[in-house]
């Protein structure tokens, strides 16, 4: 549930604050925030009819996306693993989404998104080729 994810995010955030040498806790906090956002915004998935880029969804992404990206970036910078890169990429997508498509285009968010997706392609077996799927979504 959304409340379970919010609680988990807070617990993992506190665990990271108590032991900043363990990036796993920051990554897990970011994953919990991503799950929370995913549950409330149709997973930020591509829609064939309509759009997920709604004021209500932007409000959720703005409330949780930047914090998720911050935590995921901390984890990835301390331990640059593919698992942490996947979380960071997911967090980055949510963090940028609240700004709207035009703002993202004007700030270069798309270039960074493409770069992260291409890094994920280095391990094609990761999450059924998630790097390829993300890049495909970008060009959709």
């Amino acid at each position: 549930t959304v409340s379970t994810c919010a609680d988990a995010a807070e617990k993992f955030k506190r665990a990271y604050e108590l032991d900043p040498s363990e990036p796993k806790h920051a990554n897990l906090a970011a994953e919990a925030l991503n799950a929370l956002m995913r549950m409330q915004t149709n997973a930020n998935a591509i829609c064939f009819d309509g759009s997920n880029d709604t004021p209500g969804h932007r409000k959720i992404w703005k409330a949780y996306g930047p914090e998720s990206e911050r935590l995921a970036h901390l984890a990835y910078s301390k331990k640059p693993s593919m698992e942490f890169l996947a979380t960071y990429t997911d967090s980055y997508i949510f963090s940028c989404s609240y700004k709207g498509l035009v703002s993202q285009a004007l700030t270069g968010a798309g270039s960074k998104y493409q770069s992260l997706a291409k890094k994920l392609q280095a391990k094609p077996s990761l999450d059924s080729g998630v790097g390829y799927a993300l890049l495909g979504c970008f060009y959709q």
Side-chain angles (χ1 to χ4, degrees):
T1 67
V2 170
S3 63
T4 301
C5 290
D7 291 344
E10 284 306 312
K11 287 177 183 171
F12 286 123
K13 225 162 85 171
R14 280 195 303 275
Y16 177 73
E17 289 165 359
L18 291 171
D19 184 7
S21 69
E22 182 49 75
K24 175 178 71 174
H25 296 122
N27 194 68
L28 288 168
E31 284 183 357
L33 289 172
N34 291 348
L36 177 151
M37 291 183 282
R38 201 173 288 111
M39 285 181 203
Q40 297 180 85
T41 62
N42 301 324
N44 198 12
I46 293 176
C47 296
F48 294 102
D49 187 23
S51 171
N52 269 328
D53 191 22
T54 66
H57 288 180
R58 280 195 218 154
K59 184 177 177 182
I60 292 164
W61 296 326
K62 185 176 184 177
Y64 303 104
E67 179 65 359
S68 176
E69 181 188 4
R70 182 186 76 79
L71 291 162
H73 186 262
L74 279 171
Y76 181 63
S77 65
K78 288 187 176 193
K79 182 182 177 186
S81 69
M82 291 304 275
E83 174 191 355
F84 288 5
L85 175 61
T87 302
Y88 177 48
T89 304
D90 201 23
S91 297
Y92 182 76
I93 293 165
F94 283 119
S95 182
C96 290
S97 291
Y98 85 87
K99 299 170 188 170
L101 297 173
V102 173
S103 175
Q104 290 180 64
L106 295 174
T107 60
S111 296
K112 183 171 181 179
Y113 175 86
Q114 288 178 61
S115 172
L116 293 170
K118 287 176 183 176
K119 286 180 183 179
L120 287 169
Q121 290 176 351
K123 187 172 182 184
S125 63
L126 180 70
D127 200 13
S128 300
V130 69
Y132 295 97
L134 291 173
L135 207 52
C137 290
F138 180 79
Y139 291 111
Q140 193 275 344

